[in-house]
Amino acid sequence: LIPIFDRQLGKHRFLAGDTLTAADLYLYPLYAYFPDIAETRAIADRAPNINRWGREMAARPSVKATEPTFKPQIAA
């Protein structure tokens, strides 16, 4: 799935095109945990378009306003 998303995000700013949609808002919270898990971090490290999208999503005021005040520690 990651390579497919990365290709799509290489063509468009967001997952479903050039406008933010529910797809982005639904999937970003899952992506936000990728750096915390070694296996998903390794996959994301090879997906530059997803990382660009993740940085843009993280910078959105609505994402910042709803970010949890803590992240559980995930065992490696």
Side-chain angles (χ1 to χ4, degrees), residues 15-16 18 20 31 39:
L15 291 169
D18 293 319
L20 181 74
Y31 168 82
E39 293 85 358

Side-chain angles (χ1 to χ4, degrees), residues 26-68:
Y26 176 78
L27 290 174
Y28 176 74
L30 301 174
Y31 168 82
Y33 286 96
F34 273 36
D36 298 333
I37 304 166
E39 293 85 358
T40 55
R41 182 177 55 247
I43 293 167
D45 285 347
R46 296 186 306 269
N49 300 310
I50 289 178
N51 290 323
R52 185 252 332 137
W53 169 82
R55 287 188 305 274
E56 287 188 22
M57 291 296 294
R60 295 184 64 78
S62 61
V63 171
K64 288 180 179 180
T66 58
E67 186 173 26

Side-chain angles (χ1 to χ4, degrees), residues 1-2 4 7 15 19 24 27 31 34 44 49 54 59 66 73:
L1 221 48
I2 298 300
I4 294 168
R7 268 194 312 273
L15 291 169
T19 304
D24 302 286
L27 290 174
Y31 168 82
F34 273 36
N49 300 310
T66 58
Q73 294 299 317

